[in-house]
Amino acid sequence: MPTAIAVTSADLVLPPTDPGTPHATVLPAPESQSLDASIADMQQLLARYGEVIVVCPTSAPTAVEQRLRAVRGLLESDRIALVRTDLPPLGAAVLVRQLRQLAGCDFSPGVLASAARLLAHYIYAGAVLGSVSRLDRVPVSLGSHLKSWLPGAHFAVLAGPTPQIMRVGSGEETLAGPEFTTELLLARGQLQTDWPTSHLVPRWRIQGAAVEAALPESSPGWWGTGKLVEFAAYLPDLPVLYQLVASVRRETCHWCARELIGDRCGFCGAPLHVGAVPEQGGRAPGGTETRPRGAGARTPGVDARALGTGVPAQGPRALGTGAHAAPGGPHALTPVHPPRALP
């Protein structure tokens, strides 16, 4: 039975990549469900799947996070992982789908939860905006704010993995994109522009045509305007995702004894114990390597900075692709709870 992936909004659920992709459970908003009902729903998920990984964007209302922490605290369960992400709505939905894909593999729940930070580092999420005057989640210069008042001014903004902003048609170089093959997902708002398909597809090593999805309801609020076209470039193939995660060496959490990759446990939030003994990544507990069909596909190299740790990954930096991660990994996840509160 795969680990359950739960989300705090239906916006975070994209269509599956194939019939084998597990579904995600949408947790009702606090205002639409009582605390007792939320506890009952979580108990059912735990009874069916054993462990639950809940993806909650940092942009979600405070009440959503408070409800999740209350449910976990009242259940006194160490089998619920709260994964926060700074990605914009469409990028966060891509991350959730990748976790759903990997949930059907042989990764332990601990590795899967801590892999979210690694996967987010390889999602290039941004948007073309009609104005940046209300954009407060990506650093914007005063000059860009002033230019946004010019009639017809459009801006291309990259939220991650490295924030960047440029005025469309200004003659500047394009946004810094991935150095590995990706697919492009688009979600159109009220802005009429083909810039992502005409500009990014030929320059970002996009394979095939861009795929379109419905614009998440939270996107206008996240970007500060409804005049936008949101985009996300990502690794689409399960074998590549599998190899990316499996190539990182595993550690054992000194508090809850779960497997993890990176410098922090995805379940209890405890930091990596310096004296931890690593396990080889990509192998089941019995020592037999198991992977999805076609998992020998080449994958971009894992940069240790994507995991928030200086511990190097096992194996070569790049597996035949010559790709390197962008400098500066994602923000470290805030501990979901002081470790001693979750025995």
Side-chain angles (χ1 to χ4, degrees):
M1 182 68 68
T3 302
I5 305 297
V7 294
T8 56
S9 169
D11 285 349
L12 298 175
V13 183
L14 292 172
T17 56
D18 58 71
T21 301
H23 296 286
T25 299
V26 180
L27 302 178
E31 61 270 18
S32 64
Q33 187 179 51
S34 67
L35 177 59
D36 288 342
S38 296
I39 292 175
D41 287 349
M42 186 62 69
Q43 285 177 320
Q44 291 182 359
L45 285 175
L46 291 172
R48 180 177 180 183
Y49 295 97
E51 285 87 9
V52 179
I53 296 174
V54 184
V55 180
C56 177
T58 55
S59 58
T62 303
V64 174
E65 181 185 359
Q66 291 175 340
R67 171 60 61 87
L68 292 172
R69 294 186 183 279
V71 168
R72 189 176 57 179
L74 291 171
L75 288 175
E76 297 183 343
S77 175
D78 62 353
R79 295 183 292 150
I80 305 171
L82 178 56
V83 174
R84 308 305 305 275
T85 177
D86 293 328
L87 287 170
L90 191 64
V94 169
L95 173 63
V96 169
R97 185 166 63 182
Q98 290 179 336
L99 289 174
R100 291 161 55 196
Q101 291 176 273
L102 292 171
C105 300
D106 61 337
F107 292 122
S108 66
V111 170
L112 190 61
S114 56
R117 294 172 63 200
L118 171 66
L119 298 174
H121 193 70
Y122 293 89
I123 297 174
Y124 285 70
V128 181
L129 308 177
S131 171
V132 294
S133 61
R134 296 184 179 179
L135 179 62
D136 58 4
R137 299 186 182 277
V138 180
V140 179
S141 66
L142 177 60
S144 296
H145 271 295
L146 295 176
K147 291 178 182 178
S148 69
W149 293 98
L150 297 175
H154 294 167
F155 294 85
V157 183
L158 189 65
T162 302
Q164 187 181 354
I165 182 171
M166 59 170 283
R167 184 180 175 186
V168 174
S170 63
E172 301 177 23
E173 294 185 3
T174 188
L175 299 176
E179 298 181 13
F180 45 88
T181 302
T182 60
E183 285 189 2
L184 186 67
L185 184 66
L186 296 179
R188 299 185 182 275
Q190 300 173 8
L191 187 66
Q192 299 297 320
T193 178
D194 292 324
W195 189 87
T197 53
S198 64
H199 198 80
L200 295 183
V201 169
R203 292 171 173 81
W204 274 19
R205 301 178 63 179
I206 305 297
Q207 63 179 13
V211 179
E212 299 206 13
L215 183 73
E217 292 184 4
S218 56
S219 290
W222 200 98
W223 293 103
T225 178
K227 296 182 178 180
L228 80 159
V229 176
E230 193 170 3
F231 57 82
Y234 59 97
L235 296 165
D237 299 324
L238 176 57
V240 175
L241 294 172
Y242 183 95
Q243 190 173 356
L244 180 65
V245 175
S247 65
V248 182
R249 77 181 189 184
R250 300 178 186 178
E251 312 282 355
T252 299
C253 177
H254 69 94
W255 180 253
C256 69
R258 291 184 180 274
E259 286 185 316
L260 64 93
I261 59 176
D263 66 350
R264 187 170 299 277
C265 179
F267 273 80
C268 72
L272 176 65
H273 189 60
V274 177
V277 179
E279 298 180 9
Q280 293 295 328
R283 295 187 180 276
T288 303
E289 188 171 6
T290 55
R291 59 182 62 190
R293 182 175 298 177
R298 293 181 176 180
T299 178
V302 177
D303 191 326
R305 289 168 294 184
L307 294 163
T309 174
V311 180
Q314 294 290 338
R317 176 183 175 91
L319 304 179
T321 63
H324 298 273
H331 299 296
L333 293 178
T334 301
V336 294
H337 205 283
R340 292 191 176 278
L342 290 175

Coordinates of all heavy atoms in Angstrom, one line a residue, residues 198-268:
S198 N 6.5 30.6 -27.0 CA 7.4 31.1 -28.1 C 8.8 31.4 -27.6 O 9.7 31.3 -28.4 CB 6.8 32.4 -28.7 OG 6.7 33.4 -27.7
H199 N 8.9 31.7 -26.3 CA 10.3 32.1 -25.8 C 10.9 31.0 -24.9 O 12.1 30.7 -25.1 CB 10.1 33.3 -24.9 CG 11.4 34.1 -24.7 ND1 12.0 34.9 -25.6 CD2 12.2 34.1 -23.6 CE1 13.1 35.4 -25.2 NE2 13.2 34.9 -23.9
L200 N 10.2 30.3 -24.1 CA 10.8 29.4 -23.2 C 11.0 28.0 -23.8 O 12.0 27.3 -23.6 CB 9.9 29.2 -21.9 CG 9.8 30.5 -21.0 CD1 9.0 30.1 -19.7 CD2 11.2 31.0 -20.6
V201 N 10.0 27.6 -24.6 CA 10.1 26.2 -25.1 C 11.4 26.0 -25.9 O 12.1 25.0 -25.7 CB 8.8 25.9 -26.0 CG1 9.0 24.6 -26.8 CG2 7.6 25.8 -25.1
P202 N 11.8 26.9 -26.8 CA 13.0 26.7 -27.6 C 14.3 26.9 -26.8 O 15.3 26.4 -27.2 CB 12.9 27.7 -28.7 CG 12.1 28.8 -28.2 CD 11.1 28.1 -27.3
R203 N 14.2 27.6 -25.6 CA 15.4 27.9 -24.9 C 15.6 27.1 -23.6 O 16.7 27.0 -23.1 CB 15.4 29.4 -24.5 CG 15.5 30.4 -25.7 CD 15.2 31.8 -25.2 NE 15.5 32.8 -26.3 CZ 14.6 33.0 -27.3 NH1 13.5 32.4 -27.3 NH2 14.9 33.9 -28.2
W204 N 14.6 26.5 -23.2 CA 14.6 25.7 -21.9 C 14.6 24.2 -22.1 O 14.4 23.4 -21.2 CB 13.4 26.1 -21.0 CG 13.6 27.3 -20.2 CD1 14.6 28.2 -20.4 CD2 12.9 27.6 -19.0 NE1 14.5 29.2 -19.4 CE2 13.4 28.9 -18.5 CE3 11.8 27.1 -18.3 CZ2 12.9 29.5 -17.4 CZ3 11.3 27.7 -17.2 CH2 11.9 28.9 -16.8
R205 N 15.0 23.7 -23.3 CA 15.1 22.3 -23.6 C 13.8 21.6 -23.2 O 13.8 20.5 -22.6 CB 16.3 21.7 -22.8 CG 17.6 22.3 -23.1 CD 18.7 21.8 -22.3 NE 18.9 20.4 -22.6 CZ 19.9 19.6 -22.1 NH1 20.7 20.2 -21.2 NH2 20.0 18.4 -22.4
I206 N 12.7 22.2 -23.6 CA 11.4 21.6 -23.3 C 11.1 20.5 -24.4 O 11.3 20.7 -25.6 CB 10.2 22.6 -23.4 CG1 10.5 23.8 -22.4 CG2 8.9 22.0 -23.1 CD1 10.6 23.4 -21.0
Q207 N 10.7 19.3 -23.9 CA 10.4 18.2 -24.9 C 8.9 18.2 -25.1 O 8.1 18.3 -24.3 CB 10.9 16.9 -24.3 CG 10.2 16.5 -23.0 CD 10.6 15.1 -22.5 OE1 11.6 14.6 -23.0 NE2 9.9 14.5 -21.6
G208 N 8.6 18.2 -26.4 CA 7.2 18.2 -26.8 C 6.5 19.6 -26.7 O 7.2 20.6 -26.3
A209 N 5.2 19.6 -26.9 CA 4.5 20.8 -26.7 C 4.1 21.1 -25.3 O 4.0 20.1 -24.5 CB 3.2 20.7 -27.6
A210 N 3.9 22.3 -24.9 CA 3.5 22.7 -23.6 C 2.1 22.1 -23.3 O 1.2 22.1 -24.1 CB 3.5 24.2 -23.4
V211 N 1.9 21.6 -22.1 CA 0.7 21.1 -21.6 C -0.1 22.2 -20.8 O 0.5 22.9 -20.0 CB 0.9 19.8 -20.8 CG1 -0.4 19.3 -20.3 CG2 1.7 18.8 -21.5
E212 N -1.3 22.3 -21.1 CA -2.1 23.4 -20.4 C -3.0 22.7 -19.3 O -3.5 21.6 -19.4 CB -2.9 24.2 -21.4 CG -2.1 24.9 -22.4 CD -2.7 26.1 -22.9 OE1 -3.7 26.6 -22.4 OE2 -2.3 26.7 -24.0
A213 N -3.2 23.5 -18.2 CA -4.0 23.1 -17.1 C -4.8 24.3 -16.6 O -4.6 25.4 -17.1 CB -3.1 22.6 -15.9
A214 N -5.8 24.0 -15.8 CA -6.6 25.1 -15.3 C -5.8 26.0 -14.3 O -5.0 25.4 -13.6 CB -7.9 24.6 -14.6
L215 N -6.0 27.3 -14.3 CA -5.3 28.1 -13.4 C -5.8 27.9 -12.0 O -7.0 27.9 -11.7 CB -5.6 29.6 -13.8 CG -4.8 30.6 -12.9 CD1 -3.3 30.6 -13.3 CD2 -5.4 32.0 -13.2
P216 N -4.9 27.6 -11.0 CA -5.3 27.4 -9.7 C -6.0 28.7 -9.1 O -5.6 29.8 -9.4 CB -4.0 27.2 -8.9 CG -3.1 26.6 -10.0 CD -3.5 27.3 -11.2
E217 N -7.0 28.5 -8.3 CA -7.8 29.6 -7.7 C -6.9 30.5 -6.9 O -7.1 31.7 -6.8 CB -8.9 29.1 -6.9 CG -10.0 28.4 -7.7 CD -11.2 28.0 -6.8 OE1 -11.2 28.3 -5.6 OE2 -12.1 27.4 -7.4
S218 N -5.8 30.0 -6.3 CA -5.0 30.8 -5.4 C -3.9 31.5 -6.2 O -3.2 32.3 -5.6 CB -4.3 29.8 -4.4 OG -3.6 28.8 -5.0
S219 N -3.8 31.3 -7.5 CA -2.7 31.9 -8.3 C -2.8 33.4 -8.3 O -1.8 34.1 -8.1 CB -2.6 31.3 -9.7 OG -2.2 30.0 -9.7
P220 N -3.9 34.1 -8.6 CA -4.0 35.5 -8.6 C -3.6 36.1 -7.3 O -2.9 37.2 -7.3 CB -5.5 35.8 -8.9 CG -5.9 34.6 -9.7 CD -5.2 33.5 -9.1
G221 N -3.9 35.5 -6.2 CA -3.5 36.1 -4.9 C -2.0 35.9 -4.7 O -1.4 36.8 -4.1
W222 N -1.5 34.8 -5.1 CA 0.0 34.5 -4.9 C 0.8 35.5 -5.7 O 1.8 36.0 -5.2 CB 0.3 33.1 -5.3 CG 1.6 32.6 -4.7 CD1 1.7 31.8 -3.6 CD2 2.9 32.8 -5.2 NE1 3.0 31.5 -3.4 CE2 3.8 32.1 -4.3 CE3 3.5 33.5 -6.3 CZ2 5.2 32.1 -4.5 CZ3 4.8 33.5 -6.4 CH2 5.7 32.8 -5.6
W223 N 0.4 35.7 -7.0 CA 1.2 36.6 -7.9 C 0.8 38.1 -7.8 O 1.4 38.9 -8.4 CB 1.0 36.1 -9.3 CG 1.7 34.8 -9.6 CD1 1.0 33.6 -9.7 CD2 3.1 34.5 -9.7 NE1 2.0 32.5 -9.9 CE2 3.2 33.1 -9.9 CE3 4.2 35.3 -9.7 CZ2 4.5 32.5 -10.1 CZ3 5.5 34.7 -9.9 CH2 5.6 33.3 -10.1
G224 N -0.3 38.4 -7.1 CA -0.7 39.8 -7.0 C -1.5 40.3 -8.1 O -1.8 41.5 -8.2
T225 N -1.9 39.5 -9.1 CA -2.7 40.0 -10.2 C -3.3 38.8 -10.9 O -2.8 37.7 -10.9 CB -1.8 40.7 -11.2 OG1 -2.6 41.1 -12.4 CG2 -0.7 39.8 -11.7
G226 N -4.5 39.0 -11.5 CA -5.2 38.0 -12.3 C -4.7 38.0 -13.7 O -5.1 37.1 -14.5
K227 N -4.0 39.1 -14.1 CA -3.5 39.1 -15.5 C -2.1 38.4 -15.6 O -1.1 39.0 -15.4 CB -3.3 40.6 -15.9 CG -4.7 41.3 -16.0 CD -4.5 42.8 -16.5 CE -5.8 43.5 -16.6 NZ -5.6 44.9 -17.1
L228 N -2.2 37.1 -15.8 CA -1.0 36.3 -15.7 C -1.1 35.0 -16.6 O -2.3 34.6 -16.9 CB -0.7 35.9 -14.3 CG -1.4 34.7 -13.7 CD1 -0.7 34.1 -12.5 CD2 -2.8 35.2 -13.2
V229 N 0.0 34.4 -16.9 CA 0.1 33.1 -17.4 C 1.1 32.4 -16.6 O 2.3 32.8 -16.6 CB 0.5 33.1 -18.9 CG1 0.6 31.6 -19.4 CG2 -0.6 33.7 -19.8
E230 N 0.7 31.4 -15.8 CA 1.6 30.7 -14.9 C 2.3 29.5 -15.6 O 1.6 28.9 -16.4 CB 0.9 30.3 -13.6 CG 1.8 29.8 -12.5 CD 1.1 29.6 -11.2 OE1 -0.2 29.8 -11.2 OE2 1.7 29.3 -10.2
F231 N 3.5 29.2 -15.3 CA 4.2 28.1 -15.9 C 5.1 27.4 -14.9 O 5.5 27.9 -13.9 CB 5.0 28.6 -17.1 CG 6.1 29.6 -16.8 CD1 7.3 29.2 -16.3 CD2 5.8 31.0 -17.1 CE1 8.3 30.2 -16.0 CE2 6.8 31.9 -16.8 CZ 8.0 31.5 -16.3
A232 N 5.4 26.1 -15.3 CA 6.3 25.3 -14.4 C 7.0 24.3 -15.3 O 6.3 23.6 -16.0 CB 5.5 24.6 -13.3
A233 N 8.3 24.3 -15.3 CA 9.1 23.3 -16.1 C 9.5 22.3 -15.0 O 10.0 22.6 -14.0 CB 10.2 23.9 -16.8
Y234 N 9.4 21.0 -15.4 CA 9.7 19.9 -14.4 C 10.1 18.6 -15.0 O 10.0 18.4 -16.3 CB 8.4 19.7 -13.6 CG 7.2 19.2 -14.5 CD1 6.9 17.9 -14.6 CD2 6.5 20.2 -15.2 CE1 5.9 17.5 -15.5 CE2 5.4 19.8 -16.0 CZ 5.2 18.4 -16.1 OH 4.1 18.0 -17.0
L235 N 10.7 17.7 -14.2 CA 11.0 16.4 -14.7 C 9.8 15.5 -14.7 O 9.2 15.3 -13.6 CB 12.1 15.8 -13.7 CG 13.4 16.5 -13.7 CD1 14.2 16.0 -12.5 CD2 14.2 16.2 -15.0
P236 N 9.3 15.0 -15.8 CA 8.1 14.3 -15.9 C 8.1 12.8 -15.7 O 7.1 12.2 -15.3 CB 7.6 14.7 -17.3 CG 8.8 14.7 -18.1 CD 9.9 15.3 -17.2
D237 N 9.3 12.2 -16.0 CA 9.3 10.8 -16.0 C 9.6 10.2 -14.7 O 10.6 10.5 -14.0 CB 10.4 10.3 -17.0 CG 10.1 10.8 -18.5 OD1 8.9 10.9 -18.8 OD2 11.1 11.2 -19.2
L238 N 8.9 9.2 -14.3 CA 9.1 8.5 -13.1 C 10.4 7.8 -12.9 O 11.1 8.0 -11.9 CB 8.0 7.4 -12.9 CG 8.1 6.5 -11.6 CD1 8.1 7.4 -10.3 CD2 6.9 5.6 -11.5
P239 N 11.0 7.1 -13.9 CA 12.3 6.6 -13.8 C 13.4 7.6 -13.4 O 14.3 7.4 -12.6 CB 12.6 5.9 -15.1 CG 11.2 5.6 -15.7 CD 10.4 6.8 -15.2
V240 N 13.3 8.8 -14.0 CA 14.2 9.9 -13.8 C 14.1 10.4 -12.3 O 15.0 10.6 -11.6 CB 14.1 11.0 -14.8 CG1 15.0 12.2 -14.4 CG2 14.4 10.5 -16.2
L241 N 12.8 10.6 -11.9 CA 12.5 11.0 -10.5 C 13.0 10.0 -9.5 O 13.7 10.4 -8.5 CB 11.0 11.3 -10.3 CG 10.4 12.4 -11.1 CD1 8.9 12.4 -10.9 CD2 11.0 13.8 -10.7
Y242 N 12.8 8.8 -9.8 CA 13.3 7.7 -8.9 C 14.8 7.7 -8.8 O 15.3 7.6 -7.7 CB 12.8 6.3 -9.5 CG 13.2 5.2 -8.6 CD1 12.2 4.7 -7.7 CD2 14.4 4.6 -8.6 CE1 12.6 3.6 -6.8 CE2 14.8 3.5 -7.8 CZ 13.8 3.1 -6.9 OH 14.1 2.0 -6.0
Q243 N 15.5 7.8 -9.9 CA 16.9 7.8 -9.8 C 17.5 9.0 -9.1 O 18.5 8.9 -8.4 CB 17.5 7.6 -11.2 CG 19.0 7.4 -11.3 CD 19.5 7.1 -12.6 OE1 18.8 7.0 -13.6 NE2 20.8 6.9 -12.8
L244 N 16.8 10.1 -9.3 CA 17.3 11.4 -8.7 C 17.2 11.2 -7.2 O 18.2 11.6 -6.4 CB 16.4 12.5 -9.1 CG 16.7 13.9 -8.5 CD1 18.0 14.4 -9.0 CD2 15.6 14.9 -8.9
V245 N 16.1 10.7 -6.6 CA 16.0 10.5 -5.2 C 16.9 9.3 -4.7 O 17.5 9.4 -3.6 CB 14.5 10.2 -4.8 CG1 14.4 9.9 -3.3 CG2 13.7 11.4 -5.2
A246 N 16.9 8.3 -5.5 CA 17.7 7.1 -5.0 C 19.2 7.3 -5.0 O 19.9 6.6 -4.3 CB 17.3 5.9 -5.9
S247 N 19.6 8.3 -5.8 CA 21.1 8.6 -5.8 C 21.6 9.3 -4.6 O 22.8 9.4 -4.5 CB 21.4 9.4 -7.1 OG 20.8 10.7 -7.0
V248 N 20.7 9.8 -3.8 CA 21.2 10.5 -2.5 C 21.3 9.5 -1.4 O 20.4 8.7 -1.2 CB 20.2 11.6 -2.2 CG1 20.6 12.4 -1.0 CG2 20.0 12.6 -3.4
R249 N 22.3 9.6 -0.7 CA 22.5 8.6 0.4 C 21.5 8.9 1.5 O 21.1 10.0 1.8 CB 23.9 8.6 1.0 CG 24.3 9.8 1.9 CD 25.7 9.7 2.3 NE 26.0 10.7 3.4 CZ 27.2 10.9 3.9 NH1 28.2 10.1 3.4 NH2 27.5 11.7 4.8
R250 N 21.1 7.8 2.2 CA 20.1 7.9 3.2 C 20.8 8.0 4.6 O 21.8 7.4 4.8 CB 19.2 6.7 3.2 CG 18.4 6.6 1.9 CD 17.6 5.3 1.8 NE 17.0 5.1 0.5 CZ 16.2 4.1 0.2 NH1 15.9 3.2 1.1 NH2 15.7 4.0 -1.0
E251 N 20.1 8.6 5.5 CA 20.5 8.7 6.9 C 19.3 8.2 7.8 O 18.2 8.0 7.3 CB 20.8 10.2 7.3 CG 21.7 10.9 6.3 CD 23.2 10.6 6.5 OE1 23.5 9.8 7.4 OE2 24.0 11.1 5.7
T252 N 19.6 8.0 9.0 CA 18.6 7.6 10.0 C 18.3 8.7 11.0 O 19.3 9.2 11.6 CB 19.0 6.3 10.7 OG1 19.2 5.3 9.7 CG2 17.9 5.9 11.7
C253 N 17.1 9.1 11.2 CA 16.8 10.2 12.1 C 17.1 9.7 13.5 O 16.7 8.6 13.9 CB 15.3 10.5 12.0 SG 14.7 11.8 13.2
H254 N 17.8 10.5 14.3 CA 18.3 10.1 15.6 C 17.1 10.2 16.6 O 17.2 9.6 17.7 CB 19.4 11.0 16.1 CG 19.0 12.4 16.4 ND1 18.6 12.8 17.6 CD2 18.9 13.5 15.5 CE1 18.3 14.1 17.5 NE2 18.5 14.5 16.3
W255 N 16.0 10.8 16.2 CA 14.9 10.9 17.1 C 13.8 9.9 16.9 O 13.4 9.1 17.8 CB 14.3 12.3 17.1 CG 13.1 12.5 18.0 CD1 11.8 12.5 17.7 CD2 13.2 12.5 19.4 NE1 11.0 12.6 18.8 CE2 11.9 12.6 19.9 CE3 14.2 12.5 20.3 CZ2 11.6 12.7 21.3 CZ3 14.0 12.6 21.7 CH2 12.6 12.7 22.1
C256 N 13.3 9.8 15.6 CA 12.2 8.9 15.3 C 12.6 7.6 14.6 O 11.8 6.8 14.3 CB 11.1 9.6 14.6 SG 11.5 10.0 12.9
A257 N 13.9 7.6 14.3 CA 14.5 6.4 13.6 C 14.0 6.2 12.2 O 14.2 5.1 11.6 CB 14.3 5.1 14.5
R258 N 13.4 7.2 11.6 CA 13.0 7.0 10.2 C 14.1 7.3 9.2 O 15.1 8.0 9.6 CB 11.8 8.0 9.9 CG 10.5 7.6 10.5 CD 9.4 8.6 10.1 NE 8.1 8.2 10.7 CZ 7.3 7.4 10.2 NH1 7.6 6.7 9.1 NH2 6.1 7.1 10.9
E259 N 14.0 6.8 8.0 CA 15.0 7.1 7.0 C 14.8 8.5 6.5 O 13.6 9.0 6.5 CB 14.9 6.2 5.8 CG 15.4 4.8 6.0 CD 15.4 4.0 4.7 OE1 14.3 4.0 4.0 OE2 16.3 3.3 4.4
L260 N 15.8 9.2 6.1 CA 15.7 10.5 5.5 C 16.8 10.8 4.6 O 17.8 10.1 4.6 CB 15.7 11.6 6.6 CG 16.9 11.7 7.5 CD1 17.8 12.8 6.9 CD2 16.6 12.1 8.9
I261 N 16.6 11.8 3.7 CA 17.7 12.3 2.9 C 17.7 13.8 3.1 O 16.7 14.5 3.4 CB 17.5 12.0 1.4 CG1 16.2 12.7 0.9 CG2 17.5 10.6 1.1 CD1 15.9 12.5 -0.6
G262 N 18.9 14.4 3.1 CA 19.1 15.8 3.4 C 19.4 16.0 4.9 O 20.0 15.1 5.5
D263 N 19.1 17.1 5.4 CA 19.5 17.5 6.8 C 18.4 17.6 7.8 O 18.7 18.0 8.9 CB 20.3 18.8 6.7 CG 19.5 20.0 6.4 OD1 18.3 19.8 5.9 OD2 19.9 21.1 6.5
R264 N 17.2 17.1 7.5 CA 16.1 17.3 8.4 C 15.1 16.2 8.1 O 14.7 15.9 7.0 CB 15.5 18.6 8.3 CG 14.4 18.9 9.3 CD 14.0 20.4 9.3 NE 15.2 21.3 9.6 CZ 15.6 21.6 10.8 NH1 15.0 21.1 11.9 NH2 16.6 22.4 11.0
C265 N 14.5 15.6 9.2 CA 13.5 14.5 9.1 C 12.2 15.2 8.6 O 11.8 16.2 9.1 CB 13.3 13.8 10.4 SG 12.1 12.5 10.4
G266 N 11.6 14.5 7.6 CA 10.3 15.0 7.1 C 9.2 14.8 8.0 O 8.1 15.4 7.8
F267 N 9.3 13.9 9.0 CA 8.2 13.6 9.9 C 8.2 14.3 11.2 O 7.3 15.1 11.5 CB 8.1 12.1 10.1 CG 7.3 11.3 9.1 CD1 7.9 11.0 7.9 CD2 6.0 11.0 9.3 CE1 7.1 10.3 6.9 CE2 5.2 10.3 8.3 CZ 5.8 10.0 7.1
C268 N 9.3 14.2 11.9 CA 9.4 14.8 13.2 C 10.1 16.2 13.2 O 10.0 17.0 14.1 CB 10.1 13.9 14.2 SG 11.9 13.7 14.0

